Amino acid sequence: MTVNSPPNATRTYRPVMSPTWWWLRHPAWVQFMLRELSSVFIAAFLALYLARLGAFASGPAAYAAFQAWHRTPLSIALHVLILAFALLHSTTWFLLTPKIARVHVAGRSMSEKAVAGGALTAWAIVSALVAWWLLG
Amino acid sequence: MPQETIQLVVTRFHPDHDPVPRFQTYTVPLHEDWVVLDALNYIKDTQDGTLSYRWSCRMGICGSCGMNVNGTPRLTCATFLREYAPGPIRVEPLANFPIIRDLVVDITDFMEKLPRVQPWLVRQDETPLTGGEYRQTPGEMERYHQFSLCINCMLCYAACPVYGLHPEFIGPAALALAHRYNLDSRDQGRAARQAEVYSEEGIWECTFVGQCSVVCPKKVDPAGAIQQEKVSAALDWLKSVVWPWGNR
């Protein structure tokens, strides 16, 4: 820089985020990405369910083969993974509910904890009833 | 023996000398009642007078002293050194904004976006002053009160990866303020705000990461405001489909 050149007072440095790996920079962003990724596993479960219906419609032999595949370690590992992501998906869904739905009772808005707690409790009760109906 | 000092690793950037920001380490006393801003003032007073940063009130009202502390946006006047012992503490300018010098960022982008959502009372029928003030009940005020507490500290923008990746996003604070006026019983400007608020650069850019609400020092909950506006926009669309002659 020569003596006569004006100081570059307006030059700024603009940080750039990696469009691919930005989410690794903060634990909260990793949690967000896992939450979003959980939808893929929910979709995978529904695809498996459709495949089950397809096998059922194809006859006893196809259904028996499908059932046999479900007993393989790969299938069991996949379902454990799907269950873990389904729990994450459902829990985060209900925890975020009070941000979207503001519940007013007797002219006063309920606290976020009360709304999320109510939703989680209702989910646990319904899940337990479904499990009792299916397994009982 | 209790720890007596703590290290601060501070971003330095001089626009005339530094092609990119660099870090400089300072050692400051670790006092029980010192916040990060106290440490920066100590550095500036006793070690390095060239360190640049913004601050004013020291009590969480002015919103000037926001910085990224160990990667998370915080008001440095409300962030105690002891939370980060034994250290070191990384002090950086607020993320997602251009850096002017050291810890000072350029918030011109926000200042240009803010008026686009018309964050003031918009009236279709202006009552003359002789008619008195526009009254509202405590219940009507409670609907928007939380969203009116914003101090424009920009922590939510620094916490928002969507704003970092897509700078055209209007952003959390401006959209929360739009929501605040949309909820106000005295306001009649929701339709006037729609073009900006319900646009791709508005609420629909938000992917609900939610960190804006986590870092907000005033519990404004911009993430909630944006999702509630999404519900309103979706209901508007549904009404226009089910009852297209409704607004004629």
Side-chain angles (χ1 to χ4, degrees), chain A residues 32-104:
Chain A
F32 162 75
M33 288 301 268
L34 287 174
R35 186 190 91 196
E36 296 297 290
L37 185 67
S38 65
S39 305
V40 175
F41 288 89
I42 302 289
F45 180 76
L46 292 174
L48 281 170
Y49 205 79
L50 286 174
R52 172 182 292 273
L53 287 177
F56 190 70
S58 300
Y63 192 70
F66 191 79
Q67 286 287 69
W69 178 79
H70 265 65
R71 292 189 194 95
T72 62
L74 177 69
S75 168
I76 291 168
L78 180 65
H79 279 81
V80 169
L81 195 63
I82 287 174
L83 177 64
F85 273 99
L87 286 171
L88 176 73
H89 189 86
S90 307
T91 310
T92 50
W93 171 278
F94 287 115
L95 287 175
L96 290 172
T97 303
K99 297 234 172 276
I100 299 164
R102 297 182 91 189
V103 181
H104 296 268

Side-chain angles (χ1 to χ4, degrees), chain B residues 108-206:
Chain B
T108 306
D109 181 57
F110 170 73
M111 299 308 288
E112 287 172 353
K113 281 173 178 161
L114 189 56
R116 280 168 51 191
V117 301
Q118 303 184 53
W120 50 78
L121 285 183
V122 174
R123 296 287 302 184
Q124 307 297 332
D125 53 334
E126 200 70 57
T127 311
L129 282 177
T130 50
E133 65 272 21
Y134 298 115
R135 294 188 172 189
Q136 60 185 182
T137 64
E140 287 170 333
M141 200 195 86
E142 199 221 83
R143 287 187 71 210
Y144 69 81
H145 181 252
Q146 173 191 14
F147 303 109
S148 70
L149 301 176
C150 176
I151 57 173
N152 297 340
C153 64
M154 303 289 102
L155 298 199
C156 54
Y157 283 76
C160 176
V162 177
Y163 181 64
L165 292 163
H166 306 285
E168 68 277 8
F169 179 38
I170 292 174
L175 290 171
L177 269 175
H179 186 57
R180 171 251 177 277
Y181 283 96
N182 282 348
L183 288 177
D184 194 318
S185 60
R186 302 164 297 178
D187 182 81
Q188 298 168 332
R190 182 161 167 259
R193 290 185 195 99
Q194 275 188 6
E196 290 289 345
V197 175
Y198 295 174
S199 67
E200 280 291 320
E201 297 170 3
I203 54 174
W204 301 113
E205 189 82 73
C206 171

Side-chain angles (χ1 to χ4, degrees), chain B residues 8-20:
Chain B
L8 261 65
V9 181
V10 182
T11 299
R12 301 302 311 268
F13 173 70
H14 193 295
D16 292 339
H17 310 140
D18 297 318
V20 294

Side-chain angles (χ1 to χ4, degrees), chain A residues 8 11 13 26 35 99 102, chain B residues 15 19 72 99 143 208 228:
Chain A
N8 189 3
R11 181 180 159 255
Y13 176 80
H26 200 285
R35 186 190 91 196
K99 297 234 172 276
R102 297 182 91 189
Chain B
T72 299
I99 304 168
R143 287 187 71 210
F208 203 0
Q228 287 160 35

